[in-house]
Short mmCIF file of all heavy atoms in Angstrom, two decimals:
data_model
loop_
_atom_site.label_atom_id
_atom_site.label_comp_id
_atom_site.label_asym_id
_atom_site.label_seq_id
_atom_site.Cartn_x
_atom_site.Cartn_y
_atom_site.Cartn_z
N PRO A 113 -1.75 20.24 -0.09
CA PRO A 113 -3.01 20.86 0.37
C PRO A 113 -3.76 21.46 -0.81
O PRO A 113 -3.16 22.04 -1.72
CB PRO A 113 -2.54 21.94 1.35
CG PRO A 113 -1.12 22.21 1.02
CD PRO A 113 -0.57 20.98 0.36
N VAL A 114 -5.07 21.29 -0.81
CA VAL A 114 -5.94 21.90 -1.81
C VAL A 114 -7.00 22.65 -1.02
O VAL A 114 -7.73 22.06 -0.22
CB VAL A 114 -6.61 20.84 -2.73
CG1 VAL A 114 -7.57 21.50 -3.69
CG2 VAL A 114 -5.55 20.04 -3.48
N TYR A 115 -7.09 23.96 -1.25
CA TYR A 115 -8.00 24.79 -0.48
C TYR A 115 -9.29 25.02 -1.24
O TYR A 115 -9.29 25.27 -2.44
CB TYR A 115 -7.32 26.12 -0.14
CG TYR A 115 -6.05 25.89 0.65
CD1 TYR A 115 -4.80 25.99 0.03
CD2 TYR A 115 -6.10 25.53 1.98
CE1 TYR A 115 -3.64 25.75 0.74
CE2 TYR A 115 -4.93 25.29 2.70
CZ TYR A 115 -3.71 25.41 2.08
OH TYR A 115 -2.57 25.16 2.78
N GLY A 116 -10.38 24.92 -0.52
CA GLY A 116 -11.70 25.16 -1.10
C GLY A 116 -12.71 24.19 -0.53
O GLY A 116 -12.37 23.17 0.06
N LEU A 117 -13.97 24.55 -0.70
CA LEU A 117 -15.07 23.74 -0.19
C LEU A 117 -15.60 22.82 -1.28
O LEU A 117 -15.74 23.23 -2.44
CB LEU A 117 -16.18 24.65 0.33
CG LEU A 117 -15.76 25.63 1.42
CD1 LEU A 117 -16.94 26.52 1.83
CD2 LEU A 117 -15.19 24.90 2.63
N VAL A 118 -15.89 21.60 -0.90
CA VAL A 118 -16.40 20.59 -1.82
C VAL A 118 -17.85 20.30 -1.44
O VAL A 118 -18.10 19.64 -0.44
CB VAL A 118 -15.57 19.29 -1.74
CG1 VAL A 118 -16.08 18.27 -2.75
CG2 VAL A 118 -14.09 19.57 -1.96
N PRO A 119 -18.81 20.80 -2.21
CA PRO A 119 -20.21 20.55 -1.88
C PRO A 119 -20.58 19.09 -2.15
O PRO A 119 -20.21 18.53 -3.19
CB PRO A 119 -20.98 21.50 -2.80
CG PRO A 119 -20.06 21.77 -3.94
CD PRO A 119 -18.66 21.63 -3.41
N ARG A 120 -21.27 18.49 -1.20
CA ARG A 120 -21.73 17.09 -1.31
C ARG A 120 -23.18 17.02 -0.85
O ARG A 120 -23.63 17.82 -0.03
CB ARG A 120 -20.89 16.18 -0.41
CG ARG A 120 -19.40 16.18 -0.68
CD ARG A 120 -19.06 15.38 -1.89
NE ARG A 120 -17.60 15.21 -2.04
CZ ARG A 120 -17.05 14.60 -3.05
NH1 ARG A 120 -17.79 14.08 -4.01
NH2 ARG A 120 -15.74 14.49 -3.13
N SER A 121 -23.89 16.03 -1.34
CA SER A 121 -25.26 15.80 -0.86
C SER A 121 -25.22 15.38 0.59
O SER A 121 -24.39 14.56 0.99
CB SER A 121 -25.95 14.72 -1.70
OG SER A 121 -26.13 15.18 -3.02
N ALA A 122 -26.14 15.93 1.38
CA ALA A 122 -26.19 15.63 2.81
C ALA A 122 -26.57 14.17 3.06
O ALA A 122 -26.07 13.54 3.99
CB ALA A 122 -27.18 16.55 3.53
N THR A 123 -27.44 13.63 2.21
CA THR A 123 -27.90 12.25 2.36
C THR A 123 -27.86 11.57 0.99
O THR A 123 -28.26 12.17 -0.01
CB THR A 123 -29.35 12.22 2.89
OG1 THR A 123 -29.41 12.94 4.12
CG2 THR A 123 -29.83 10.79 3.12
N ILE A 124 -27.35 10.35 0.98
CA ILE A 124 -27.35 9.57 -0.26
C ILE A 124 -27.86 8.16 0.02
O ILE A 124 -27.75 7.66 1.13
CB ILE A 124 -25.95 9.49 -0.91
CG1 ILE A 124 -24.93 8.83 0.03
CG2 ILE A 124 -25.50 10.86 -1.37
CD1 ILE A 124 -23.59 8.51 -0.62
N GLU A 125 -28.40 7.56 -1.00
CA GLU A 125 -28.78 6.15 -0.95
C GLU A 125 -27.92 5.44 -2.00
O GLU A 125 -27.84 5.87 -3.15
CB GLU A 125 -30.26 5.97 -1.26
CG GLU A 125 -30.76 4.58 -0.98
CD GLU A 125 -32.28 4.50 -1.06
OE1 GLU A 125 -32.95 5.47 -0.70
OE2 GLU A 125 -32.76 3.43 -1.50
N VAL A 126 -27.27 4.35 -1.56
CA VAL A 126 -26.31 3.64 -2.41
C VAL A 126 -26.76 2.20 -2.60
O VAL A 126 -27.18 1.54 -1.66
CB VAL A 126 -24.91 3.67 -1.76
CG1 VAL A 126 -23.92 2.81 -2.53
CG2 VAL A 126 -24.40 5.10 -1.65
N GLU A 127 -26.63 1.74 -3.84
CA GLU A 127 -26.81 0.32 -4.16
C GLU A 127 -25.45 -0.20 -4.60
O GLU A 127 -24.72 0.47 -5.32
CB GLU A 127 -27.82 0.13 -5.29
CG GLU A 127 -29.24 0.39 -4.88
CD GLU A 127 -30.23 0.14 -6.02
OE1 GLU A 127 -29.80 -0.03 -7.19
OE2 GLU A 127 -31.44 0.15 -5.74
N ALA A 128 -25.13 -1.42 -4.16
CA ALA A 128 -23.84 -2.03 -4.49
C ALA A 128 -23.96 -3.53 -4.27
O ALA A 128 -25.03 -4.05 -3.98
CB ALA A 128 -22.75 -1.44 -3.61
N SER A 129 -22.83 -4.20 -4.36
CA SER A 129 -22.73 -5.62 -4.03
C SER A 129 -21.68 -5.78 -2.94
O SER A 129 -20.73 -5.00 -2.87
CB SER A 129 -22.32 -6.45 -5.24
OG SER A 129 -23.30 -6.39 -6.24
N ILE A 130 -21.87 -6.79 -2.10
CA ILE A 130 -20.87 -7.12 -1.09
C ILE A 130 -20.21 -8.44 -1.50
O ILE A 130 -20.64 -9.10 -2.45
CB ILE A 130 -21.48 -7.19 0.32
CG1 ILE A 130 -22.63 -8.20 0.38
CG2 ILE A 130 -21.95 -5.80 0.76
CD1 ILE A 130 -23.20 -8.42 1.77
N GLN A 131 -19.16 -8.82 -0.78
CA GLN A 131 -18.34 -9.96 -1.18
C GLN A 131 -19.11 -11.25 -1.41
O GLN A 131 -18.76 -12.04 -2.27
CB GLN A 131 -17.24 -10.20 -0.15
CG GLN A 131 -16.18 -9.14 -0.17
CD GLN A 131 -15.02 -9.49 0.71
OE1 GLN A 131 -14.59 -10.62 0.81
NE2 GLN A 131 -14.48 -8.47 1.38
N SER A 132 -20.14 -11.48 -0.65
CA SER A 132 -20.92 -12.71 -0.79
C SER A 132 -21.71 -12.75 -2.09
O SER A 132 -22.25 -13.78 -2.46
CB SER A 132 -21.89 -12.86 0.38
OG SER A 132 -22.87 -11.83 0.31
N GLY A 133 -21.78 -11.60 -2.76
CA GLY A 133 -22.57 -11.52 -3.98
C GLY A 133 -23.95 -10.95 -3.72
O GLY A 133 -24.71 -10.69 -4.65
N LYS A 134 -24.28 -10.76 -2.45
CA LYS A 134 -25.58 -10.20 -2.11
C LYS A 134 -25.65 -8.72 -2.46
O LYS A 134 -24.66 -8.01 -2.40
CB LYS A 134 -25.87 -10.36 -0.61
CG LYS A 134 -26.08 -11.80 -0.20
CD LYS A 134 -26.41 -11.89 1.27
CE LYS A 134 -26.59 -13.35 1.67
NZ LYS A 134 -26.87 -13.50 3.09
N ALA A 135 -26.86 -8.30 -2.80
CA ALA A 135 -27.09 -6.89 -3.07
C ALA A 135 -27.08 -6.12 -1.76
O ALA A 135 -27.50 -6.63 -0.71
CB ALA A 135 -28.43 -6.71 -3.78
N PHE A 136 -26.58 -4.91 -1.81
CA PHE A 136 -26.52 -4.04 -0.65
C PHE A 136 -27.22 -2.74 -1.01
O PHE A 136 -27.08 -2.23 -2.12
CB PHE A 136 -25.06 -3.75 -0.30
CG PHE A 136 -24.88 -2.67 0.73
CD1 PHE A 136 -24.92 -2.98 2.08
CD2 PHE A 136 -24.70 -1.34 0.35
CE1 PHE A 136 -24.76 -1.98 3.04
CE2 PHE A 136 -24.54 -0.35 1.30
CZ PHE A 136 -24.58 -0.66 2.63
N ARG A 137 -27.99 -2.23 -0.06
CA ARG A 137 -28.62 -0.91 -0.22
C ARG A 137 -28.54 -0.21 1.12
O ARG A 137 -28.93 -0.79 2.14
CB ARG A 137 -30.06 -1.05 -0.69
CG ARG A 137 -30.68 0.28 -1.06
CD ARG A 137 -32.10 0.06 -1.62
NE ARG A 137 -32.62 1.29 -2.14
CZ ARG A 137 -32.86 1.54 -3.41
NH1 ARG A 137 -32.64 0.61 -4.31
NH2 ARG A 137 -33.34 2.70 -3.79
N GLY A 138 -28.02 1.00 1.13
CA GLY A 138 -27.90 1.72 2.39
C GLY A 138 -28.07 3.21 2.20
O GLY A 138 -27.82 3.74 1.12
N THR A 139 -28.54 3.86 3.25
CA THR A 139 -28.70 5.31 3.27
C THR A 139 -27.66 5.88 4.23
O THR A 139 -27.50 5.37 5.34
CB THR A 139 -30.12 5.70 3.70
OG1 THR A 139 -31.06 5.11 2.79
CG2 THR A 139 -30.31 7.21 3.71
N PHE A 140 -26.98 6.93 3.79
CA PHE A 140 -25.90 7.51 4.57
C PHE A 140 -26.06 9.02 4.65
O PHE A 140 -26.50 9.65 3.69
CB PHE A 140 -24.55 7.15 3.92
CG PHE A 140 -24.34 5.69 3.80
CD1 PHE A 140 -24.73 5.01 2.65
CD2 PHE A 140 -23.81 4.96 4.85
CE1 PHE A 140 -24.57 3.64 2.54
CE2 PHE A 140 -23.65 3.59 4.76
CZ PHE A 140 -24.03 2.92 3.59
N GLU A 141 -25.67 9.55 5.80
CA GLU A 141 -25.79 10.99 6.04
C GLU A 141 -24.46 11.55 6.52
O GLU A 141 -23.59 10.81 6.98
CB GLU A 141 -26.83 11.26 7.14
CG GLU A 141 -28.20 10.75 6.87
CD GLU A 141 -29.14 10.99 8.05
OE1 GLU A 141 -28.69 11.01 9.22
OE2 GLU A 141 -30.32 11.19 7.78
N GLY A 142 -24.36 12.87 6.46
CA GLY A 142 -23.25 13.57 7.08
C GLY A 142 -21.88 13.13 6.58
O GLY A 142 -21.66 12.92 5.39
N PHE A 143 -20.97 12.96 7.52
CA PHE A 143 -19.58 12.64 7.19
C PHE A 143 -19.48 11.36 6.36
O PHE A 143 -18.74 11.30 5.38
CB PHE A 143 -18.75 12.52 8.47
CG PHE A 143 -17.30 12.30 8.22
CD1 PHE A 143 -16.50 13.33 7.74
CD2 PHE A 143 -16.71 11.07 8.46
CE1 PHE A 143 -15.14 13.13 7.49
CE2 PHE A 143 -15.36 10.86 8.22
CZ PHE A 143 -14.58 11.90 7.73
N THR A 144 -20.24 10.33 6.72
CA THR A 144 -20.19 9.06 5.98
C THR A 144 -20.64 9.27 4.54
O THR A 144 -20.07 8.70 3.60
CB THR A 144 -21.04 7.99 6.67
OG1 THR A 144 -20.64 7.90 8.04
CG2 THR A 144 -20.89 6.64 6.01
N SER A 145 -21.64 10.11 4.35
CA SER A 145 -22.11 10.44 3.00
C SER A 145 -20.99 11.09 2.19
O SER A 145 -20.77 10.76 1.02
CB SER A 145 -23.32 11.37 3.09
OG SER A 145 -23.69 11.86 1.83
N ILE A 146 -20.26 12.01 2.81
CA ILE A 146 -19.15 12.68 2.13
C ILE A 146 -18.07 11.67 1.73
O ILE A 146 -17.59 11.68 0.60
CB ILE A 146 -18.55 13.79 3.03
CG1 ILE A 146 -19.53 14.96 3.15
CG2 ILE A 146 -17.20 14.27 2.49
CD1 ILE A 146 -19.13 16.02 4.17
N VAL A 147 -17.71 10.80 2.66
CA VAL A 147 -16.66 9.81 2.38
C VAL A 147 -17.07 8.90 1.21
O VAL A 147 -16.29 8.66 0.29
CB VAL A 147 -16.32 8.97 3.64
CG1 VAL A 147 -15.35 7.85 3.31
CG2 VAL A 147 -15.76 9.86 4.74
N LEU A 148 -18.30 8.41 1.24
CA LEU A 148 -18.76 7.54 0.16
C LEU A 148 -18.78 8.27 -1.18
O LEU A 148 -18.36 7.71 -2.21
CB LEU A 148 -20.14 6.97 0.47
CG LEU A 148 -20.13 5.66 1.22
CD1 LEU A 148 -21.53 5.30 1.71
CD2 LEU A 148 -19.57 4.53 0.37
N GLN A 149 -19.27 9.50 -1.20
CA GLN A 149 -19.30 10.26 -2.45
C GLN A 149 -17.88 10.48 -2.99
O GLN A 149 -17.65 10.38 -4.20
CB GLN A 149 -20.01 11.59 -2.25
CG GLN A 149 -21.52 11.41 -2.06
CD GLN A 149 -22.19 12.70 -1.67
OE1 GLN A 149 -22.46 13.53 -2.54
NE2 GLN A 149 -22.47 12.88 -0.38
N HIS A 150 -16.95 10.76 -2.10
CA HIS A 150 -15.55 10.95 -2.50
C HIS A 150 -15.01 9.68 -3.17
O HIS A 150 -14.38 9.75 -4.23
CB HIS A 150 -14.73 11.32 -1.26
CG HIS A 150 -13.28 11.53 -1.50
ND1 HIS A 150 -12.70 12.78 -1.45
CD2 HIS A 150 -12.27 10.66 -1.80
CE1 HIS A 150 -11.41 12.67 -1.70
NE2 HIS A 150 -11.11 11.39 -1.91
N GLU A 151 -15.25 8.53 -2.54
CA GLU A 151 -14.73 7.27 -3.09
C GLU A 151 -15.45 6.85 -4.37
O GLU A 151 -14.82 6.36 -5.31
CB GLU A 151 -14.79 6.16 -2.04
CG GLU A 151 -14.00 6.43 -0.77
CD GLU A 151 -12.57 6.90 -1.00
OE1 GLU A 151 -11.93 6.47 -1.99
OE2 GLU A 151 -12.08 7.70 -0.19
N ILE A 152 -16.74 7.06 -4.44
CA ILE A 152 -17.49 6.75 -5.67
C ILE A 152 -17.02 7.65 -6.80
O ILE A 152 -16.91 7.20 -7.95
CB ILE A 152 -19.02 6.84 -5.42
CG1 ILE A 152 -19.46 5.68 -4.51
CG2 ILE A 152 -19.79 6.82 -6.74
CD1 ILE A 152 -20.90 5.77 -4.01
N ASP A 153 -16.70 8.90 -6.49
CA ASP A 153 -16.13 9.78 -7.51
C ASP A 153 -14.85 9.18 -8.10
O ASP A 153 -14.64 9.23 -9.32
CB ASP A 153 -15.80 11.16 -6.92
CG ASP A 153 -16.97 12.13 -6.96
OD1 ASP A 153 -18.04 11.79 -7.50
OD2 ASP A 153 -16.81 13.25 -6.43
N HIS A 154 -13.99 8.61 -7.26
CA HIS A 154 -12.76 7.99 -7.76
C HIS A 154 -13.08 6.92 -8.81
O HIS A 154 -12.35 6.77 -9.79
CB HIS A 154 -11.97 7.33 -6.63
CG HIS A 154 -11.04 8.25 -5.93
ND1 HIS A 154 -10.03 8.95 -6.55
CD2 HIS A 154 -10.96 8.59 -4.61
CE1 HIS A 154 -9.36 9.67 -5.67
NE2 HIS A 154 -9.91 9.48 -4.48
N LEU A 155 -14.15 6.19 -8.61
CA LEU A 155 -14.52 5.13 -9.55
C LEU A 155 -15.00 5.69 -10.88
O LEU A 155 -15.05 4.99 -11.88
CB LEU A 155 -15.59 4.23 -8.93
CG LEU A 155 -15.21 3.57 -7.60
CD1 LEU A 155 -16.37 2.73 -7.08
CD2 LEU A 155 -13.94 2.75 -7.72
N GLN A 156 -15.36 6.98 -10.87
CA GLN A 156 -15.82 7.65 -12.08
C GLN A 156 -14.77 8.57 -12.70
O GLN A 156 -15.05 9.33 -13.61
CB GLN A 156 -17.10 8.46 -11.76
CG GLN A 156 -18.25 7.61 -11.26
CD GLN A 156 -18.61 6.50 -12.23
OE1 GLN A 156 -18.71 6.73 -13.44
NE2 GLN A 156 -18.77 5.29 -11.72
N GLY A 157 -13.55 8.53 -12.15
CA GLY A 157 -12.47 9.35 -12.69
C GLY A 157 -12.53 10.81 -12.24
O GLY A 157 -11.95 11.68 -12.89
N ILE A 158 -13.18 11.07 -11.13
CA ILE A 158 -13.35 12.43 -10.61
C ILE A 158 -12.54 12.58 -9.33
O ILE A 158 -12.61 11.73 -8.44
CB ILE A 158 -14.84 12.72 -10.32
CG1 ILE A 158 -15.66 12.59 -11.60
CG2 ILE A 158 -15.02 14.09 -9.68
CD1 ILE A 158 -17.17 12.56 -11.37
N LEU A 159 -11.78 13.66 -9.23
CA LEU A 159 -11.06 13.98 -8.00
C LEU A 159 -11.81 15.07 -7.25
O LEU A 159 -12.50 15.90 -7.86
CB LEU A 159 -9.63 14.43 -8.31
CG LEU A 159 -8.75 13.35 -8.92
CD1 LEU A 159 -7.41 13.92 -9.36
CD2 LEU A 159 -8.54 12.21 -7.94
N PHE A 160 -11.67 15.08 -5.93
CA PHE A 160 -12.47 15.99 -5.11
C PHE A 160 -12.34 17.45 -5.53
O PHE A 160 -13.30 18.21 -5.51
CB PHE A 160 -12.12 15.82 -3.62
CG PHE A 160 -10.80 16.42 -3.21
CD1 PHE A 160 -10.74 17.70 -2.69
CD2 PHE A 160 -9.62 15.70 -3.33
CE1 PHE A 160 -9.53 18.25 -2.31
CE2 PHE A 160 -8.41 16.23 -2.95
CZ PHE A 160 -8.36 17.52 -2.44
N TYR A 161 -11.16 17.86 -5.96
CA TYR A 161 -10.99 19.28 -6.29
C TYR A 161 -11.66 19.67 -7.59
O TYR A 161 -11.81 20.85 -7.89
CB TYR A 161 -9.52 19.71 -6.26
CG TYR A 161 -8.56 18.91 -7.09
CD1 TYR A 161 -8.55 18.99 -8.48
CD2 TYR A 161 -7.62 18.09 -6.47
CE1 TYR A 161 -7.64 18.27 -9.23
CE2 TYR A 161 -6.70 17.38 -7.21
CZ TYR A 161 -6.71 17.47 -8.60
OH TYR A 161 -5.81 16.76 -9.34
N ASP A 162 -12.13 18.69 -8.38
CA ASP A 162 -12.93 19.00 -9.57
C ASP A 162 -14.25 19.65 -9.17
O ASP A 162 -14.87 20.33 -9.98
CB ASP A 162 -13.24 17.72 -10.37
CG ASP A 162 -12.00 17.05 -10.92
OD1 ASP A 162 -10.95 17.72 -11.06
OD2 ASP A 162 -12.07 15.84 -11.21
N ARG A 163 -14.67 19.42 -7.94
CA ARG A 163 -15.96 19.93 -7.46
C ARG A 163 -15.86 21.28 -6.75
O ARG A 163 -16.85 21.84 -6.30
CB ARG A 163 -16.61 18.90 -6.55
CG ARG A 163 -16.91 17.59 -7.29
CD ARG A 163 -17.83 16.71 -6.50
NE ARG A 163 -18.12 15.47 -7.19
CZ ARG A 163 -19.02 15.32 -8.15
NH1 ARG A 163 -19.74 16.34 -8.54
NH2 ARG A 163 -19.22 14.13 -8.70
N ILE A 164 -14.64 21.80 -6.63
CA ILE A 164 -14.44 23.10 -5.99
C ILE A 164 -14.69 24.21 -7.01
O ILE A 164 -14.25 24.11 -8.16
CB ILE A 164 -13.00 23.21 -5.42
CG1 ILE A 164 -12.79 22.17 -4.30
CG2 ILE A 164 -12.71 24.63 -4.92
CD1 ILE A 164 -11.36 22.09 -3.78
N ASN A 165 -15.38 25.26 -6.58
CA ASN A 165 -15.65 26.42 -7.41
C ASN A 165 -14.31 27.05 -7.81
O ASN A 165 -13.55 27.49 -6.95
CB ASN A 165 -16.51 27.41 -6.63
CG ASN A 165 -16.88 28.64 -7.42
OD1 ASN A 165 -16.15 29.10 -8.27
ND2 ASN A 165 -18.03 29.20 -7.09
N LYS A 166 -13.99 27.05 -9.08
CA LYS A 166 -12.68 27.52 -9.55
C LYS A 166 -12.49 29.02 -9.37
O LYS A 166 -11.39 29.48 -9.08
CB LYS A 166 -12.47 27.18 -11.04
CG LYS A 166 -12.62 25.70 -11.37
CD LYS A 166 -11.63 24.82 -10.64
CE LYS A 166 -11.77 23.39 -11.03
NZ LYS A 166 -12.25 22.50 -10.00
N GLU A 167 -13.55 29.82 -9.55
CA GLU A 167 -13.44 31.27 -9.42
C GLU A 167 -13.37 31.71 -7.96
O GLU A 167 -12.72 32.69 -7.63
CB GLU A 167 -14.62 31.98 -10.10
CG GLU A 167 -14.57 31.96 -11.62
CD GLU A 167 -15.00 30.61 -12.19
OE1 GLU A 167 -15.97 30.02 -11.68
OE2 GLU A 167 -14.32 30.14 -13.13
N ASN A 168 -14.08 31.00 -7.09
CA ASN A 168 -14.13 31.37 -5.68
C ASN A 168 -14.18 30.08 -4.86
O ASN A 168 -15.25 29.57 -4.56
CB ASN A 168 -15.34 32.26 -5.39
CG ASN A 168 -15.36 32.77 -3.97
OD1 ASN A 168 -14.59 32.32 -3.13
ND2 ASN A 168 -16.26 33.69 -3.70
N PRO A 169 -13.02 29.53 -4.49
CA PRO A 169 -12.95 28.21 -3.86
C PRO A 169 -13.74 28.06 -2.56
O PRO A 169 -14.08 26.96 -2.18
CB PRO A 169 -11.46 28.00 -3.60
CG PRO A 169 -10.77 28.94 -4.52
CD PRO A 169 -11.69 30.09 -4.71
N PHE A 170 -14.03 29.18 -1.90
CA PHE A 170 -14.76 29.08 -0.64
C PHE A 170 -16.23 29.47 -0.79
O PHE A 170 -16.93 29.68 0.18
CB PHE A 170 -14.06 29.89 0.45
CG PHE A 170 -12.73 29.28 0.78
CD1 PHE A 170 -11.56 29.73 0.19
CD2 PHE A 170 -12.65 28.20 1.65
CE1 PHE A 170 -10.34 29.13 0.45
CE2 PHE A 170 -11.43 27.59 1.92
CZ PHE A 170 -10.28 28.06 1.32
N HIS A 171 -16.69 29.52 -2.04
CA HIS A 171 -18.11 29.74 -2.34
C HIS A 171 -18.66 28.43 -2.88
O HIS A 171 -18.06 27.81 -3.76
CB HIS A 171 -18.28 30.84 -3.40
CG HIS A 171 -19.69 31.03 -3.83
ND1 HIS A 171 -20.63 31.64 -3.04
CD2 HIS A 171 -20.32 30.65 -4.96
CE1 HIS A 171 -21.79 31.65 -3.67
NE2 HIS A 171 -21.63 31.05 -4.84
N LEU A 172 -19.78 28.01 -2.32
CA LEU A 172 -20.36 26.74 -2.75
C LEU A 172 -21.22 26.93 -3.98
O LEU A 172 -22.13 27.77 -4.00
CB LEU A 172 -21.19 26.14 -1.61
CG LEU A 172 -20.34 25.72 -0.42
CD1 LEU A 172 -21.20 25.48 0.79
CD2 LEU A 172 -19.55 24.48 -0.76
N LEU A 173 -20.95 26.16 -4.99
CA LEU A 173 -21.74 26.20 -6.21
C LEU A 173 -23.14 25.66 -5.94
O LEU A 173 -23.30 24.64 -5.27
CB LEU A 173 -21.09 25.34 -7.30
CG LEU A 173 -19.73 25.80 -7.79
CD1 LEU A 173 -19.13 24.75 -8.71
CD2 LEU A 173 -19.86 27.11 -8.52
N GLY A 174 -24.14 26.33 -6.44
CA GLY A 174 -25.48 25.78 -6.42
C GLY A 174 -26.28 25.97 -5.16
O GLY A 174 -27.49 25.98 -5.21
N ASN A 175 -25.65 26.09 -3.99
CA ASN A 175 -26.43 26.17 -2.76
C ASN A 175 -25.64 26.92 -1.68
O ASN A 175 -24.87 26.32 -0.96
CB ASN A 175 -26.80 24.77 -2.28
CG ASN A 175 -27.76 24.81 -1.11
OD1 ASN A 175 -27.90 25.82 -0.43
ND2 ASN A 175 -28.42 23.70 -0.86
N PRO A 176 -25.86 28.21 -1.58
CA PRO A 176 -25.13 28.97 -0.56
C PRO A 176 -25.56 28.64 0.86
O PRO A 176 -24.94 29.08 1.82
CB PRO A 176 -25.45 30.43 -0.92
CG PRO A 176 -26.75 30.36 -1.63
CD PRO A 176 -26.76 29.04 -2.35
N CYS A 177 -26.60 27.83 1.01
CA CYS A 177 -27.09 27.47 2.34
C CYS A 177 -26.51 26.17 2.86
O CYS A 177 -26.95 25.65 3.88
CB CYS A 177 -28.62 27.38 2.34
SG CYS A 177 -29.41 28.94 1.92
#
Side-chain angles (χ1 to χ4, degrees):
V114 177
Y115 302 102
L117 302 178
V118 182
R120 301 283 188 183
S121 294
T123 304
I124 60 171
E125 190 170 326
V126 173
E127 288 182 349
S129 296
I130 57 175
Q131 289 188 39
S132 67
K134 291 182 181 178
F136 170 87
R137 188 176 188 113
T139 301
F140 302 92
E141 302 177 329
F143 185 72
T144 307
S145 172
I146 289 172
V147 174
L148 270 170
Q149 288 172 80
H150 179 109
E151 300 311 327
I152 290 171
D153 273 357
H154 273 302
L155 303 179
Q156 299 304 314
I158 299 168
L159 294 173
F160 75 94
Y161 54 72
D162 297 338
R163 298 194 180 278
I164 295 174
N165 181 329
K166 304 299 182 247
E167 287 77 41
N168 185 350
F170 293 95
H171 175 74
L172 293 165
L173 296 172
N175 188 341
C177 298

